[in-house]
Amino acid sequence: MMETSLQHLLFSCLLVCCINNEVLPAGLTVSPSRSQFFKGDSVSLSCEEDNISAGWTVRRNTTRGTRTQCGDGWGKPDGSTCTISSLYPLDTGVYWCESREGAASSSINLTVSGGSVILQSPVLPVMEGDDITLSCQTKTSSNLQAAFIKDGSLIRTEPAGHMTLHHVTSSDEGLYKCFISGDGESPSSWISVSVKPSTTGPTTYLSPPSSSPPPSSSPSFLRHLHYVLLSLALVIIVVLLLVLVLMVRRHVRRKSEGGPEGGEDSITYGDVNISHHQRQKTKSNKDLKQLCFTTVLFTEMKKKKKL
């Protein structure tokens, strides 16, 4: 019964080890990290993956194609990275990473403007409590006076074309655009605000300038290290359980082959009684012989005395 339970536990541990090797979602990063681009700009999209064997590729939905893969009429694939050397308004759409098994990352929206003004805003959701900076720029300048608009209402006008939102909350979520007098209006971009986890961690995203590299992949590395350590711990548990099963089986085999405990060297109560009885019998025989010898000797002495 115990051996069967241990085998079931061993099977469960092996099943958990297999589950830990499942395909984990990749994260899509954009460089330069922004959501709006001018016509003719270049962009690089990369799938940050924990499992390089999953075969992640970049896909998109646009007005001219649905679920098309990088290299299928657009972009240049290089492993899990896709580079578009010259963007056009028709490249505006939704982009995401997808594995060979069909797992998909969260999606992002990229907008390519054929006009002269764009809004630099976070391409990824920002964490609640973070500060974000929005920049309104033309092809030649990013320091012009600009008006910033959210959900159709004017927020304020900034003389240098940059607006910072401090300690954002869910109320800051919405559709943003900007306007530069004499140059025109930018397309609109949606800014998402995510609830910050209870544990303290590094800032997920702060809106960087256009030349900034993609966000650091250190959280991805730590997550991968966590799964490696967990798998190693489970392997150790499995080995210990195997040793325990072998010890139990060996003990059961010895018990069945050796008979009752104590074996041939055990002494029973019956043996003690028999031994004690034999000692008493031997002592009685000696006493009888001694009595006979004394009687005979006494008789002989008596006869001699008469003579």
Side-chain angles (χ1 to χ4, degrees), residues 216-238:
S216 170
S217 60
S218 57
S220 173
F221 170 76
L222 292 176
R223 187 165 59 251
H224 180 67
L225 179 62
H226 167 75
Y227 283 106
V228 169
L229 293 177
L230 180 60
S231 300
L232 181 61
L234 289 173
V235 169
I236 293 174
I237 293 174
V238 168

Side-chain angles (χ1 to χ4, degrees), residues 32-42 87 89 92 110-121 133-148 160-162 176-180 183-189 208-210:
S33 187
R34 61 176 192 252
S35 59
Q36 294 187 13
F37 295 86
F38 288 114
K39 177 183 176 181
D41 285 347
S42 63
L87 289 163
T92 297
L110 297 184
T111 302
V112 181
S113 173
S116 57
V117 179
I118 63 170
L119 174 68
Q120 283 196 18
S121 60
T133 299
L134 307 179
S135 298
C136 194
Q137 68 177 64
T138 65
K139 286 187 176 182
T140 58
S141 177
S142 59
N143 295 308
L144 300 175
Q145 184 179 18
F148 291 89
H162 305 285
Y176 289 78
K177 62 182 178 179
C178 64
F179 174 80
I180 296 178
D183 289 293
E185 188 177 77
S186 73
S188 297
S189 287
S210 59

Side-chain angles (χ1 to χ4, degrees), residues 66-242:
T66 303
R67 295 183 65 84
T68 55
Q69 181 176 321
C70 179
D72 186 12
W74 64 275
K76 183 180 179 180
D78 181 14
S80 59
T81 299
C82 180
T83 301
I84 306 175
S85 57
S86 183
L87 289 163
Y88 292 90
L90 288 176
D91 292 313
T92 297
V94 180
Y95 292 75
W96 70 94
C97 294
E98 190 169 305
S99 70
R100 281 192 295 263
E101 290 78 11
S105 70
S106 55
S107 60
I108 62 173
N109 291 279
L110 297 184
T111 302
V112 181
S113 173
S116 57
V117 179
I118 63 170
L119 174 68
Q120 283 196 18
S121 60
V123 65
L124 300 174
V126 295
M127 284 294 177
E128 194 174 43
D130 289 345
D131 298 339
I132 61 172
T133 299
L134 307 179
S135 298
C136 194
Q137 68 177 64
T138 65
K139 286 187 176 182
T140 58
S141 177
S142 59
N143 295 308
L144 300 175
Q145 184 179 18
F148 291 89
I149 301 165
K150 176 196 173 191
D151 298 331
S153 300
L154 176 67
I155 303 175
R156 63 178 179 265
T157 300
E158 293 290 344
H162 305 285
M163 180 181 71
T164 300
L165 302 176
H166 298 282
H167 308 297
V168 295
T169 64
S170 58
S171 62
D172 293 306
E173 212 170 49
L175 203 60
Y176 289 78
K177 62 182 178 179
C178 64
F179 174 80
I180 296 178
S181 179
D183 289 293
E185 188 177 77
S186 73
S188 297
S189 287
W190 180 268
I191 294 180
S192 298
V193 179
S194 300
V195 177
K196 180 166 287 189
S198 56
T199 55
T200 304
T203 302
T204 301
Y205 181 84
L206 287 177
S207 179
S210 59
S211 60
S212 296
S216 170
S217 60
S218 57
S220 173
F221 170 76
L222 292 176
R223 187 165 59 251
H224 180 67
L225 179 62
H226 167 75
Y227 283 106
V228 169
L229 293 177
L230 180 60
S231 300
L232 181 61
L234 289 173
V235 169
I236 293 174
I237 293 174
V238 168
V239 172
L240 292 176
L241 287 175
L242 282 172

